[in-house]
């Protein structure tokens, strides 16, 4: 799997320039942007979500704790939440439990979500 350094080498630019192209920096000259875009396509480069999250200190992931996922209502809500989040460029980490009375299960599910996200949605 190619990385940003491979794209930079193929395009004859620095990895910082590749980053600026990927982030839409308007100061990158059109000819340079074209070379980088061609290298991205030729190498089938896909930006690393993990590397981007580290650099931005943000995951663009929302945690969703769902109680009773096996039932139609909560499952439908989770599906709609997931679709709306993805349409807005967010990922969703879903943690499910089947018993709202089991506070420990709900707390653990929330903890799992909050480790990778901006915090769980209840």
């Amino acid at each position: 799997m190619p990385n940003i350094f491979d794209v930079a080498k193929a395009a004859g630019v620095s990895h910082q320039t590749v980053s600026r192209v990927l982030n839409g920096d308007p100061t990158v000259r059109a000819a340079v942007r074209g070379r980088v875009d061609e290298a991205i396509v030729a190498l089938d480069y896909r930006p690393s979500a993990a590397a981007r999250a580290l650099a931005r200190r943000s995951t663009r992931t929302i945690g969703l704790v769902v109680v009773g996922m096996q039932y139609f209502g909560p499952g439908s809500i989770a599906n709609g939440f997931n679709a709306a989040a993805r349409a807005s460029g967010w990922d969703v980490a879903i943690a499910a439990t089947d018993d709202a009375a089991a506070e420990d299960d709900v707390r653990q599910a929330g903890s799992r979500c909050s480790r990778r996200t901006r915090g769980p949605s209840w």
Side-chain angles (χ1 to χ4, degrees):
M1 173 179 266
N3 60 40
I4 196 169
F5 297 100
D6 298 325
V7 173
K9 184 176 180 182
V13 298
S14 69
H15 71 278
Q16 292 96 332
T17 299
V18 175
S19 178
R20 286 193 289 273
V21 169
L22 291 172
N23 290 308
D25 187 328
T27 64
V28 178
R29 290 179 293 142
V32 172
R33 181 178 305 280
R35 286 199 327 259
V36 171
D37 287 340
E38 287 173 9
I40 287 170
V41 170
L43 295 172
D44 195 26
Y45 171 73
R46 300 280 187 266
S48 166
R52 184 166 280 188
L54 285 171
R56 291 185 176 169
R57 295 187 179 123
S58 175
T59 63
R60 295 210 44 91
T61 302
I62 302 168
L64 178 64
V65 178
V66 181
V67 177
M69 184 79 154
Q70 73 274 25
Y71 300 115
F72 177 77
S76 294
I77 291 168
N79 283 336
F81 185 95
N82 188 41
R86 288 185 180 276
S88 299
W90 289 79
D91 289 323
V92 178
I94 298 177
T97 182
D98 58 2
D99 186 4
E103 284 185 41
D104 196 43
D105 284 349
V106 173
R107 192 176 311 106
Q108 286 179 10
S111 176
R112 281 193 306 275
C113 277
S114 66
R115 278 185 238 140
R116 299 183 307 162
T117 68
R118 289 196 174 194
S121 297
W122 301 90

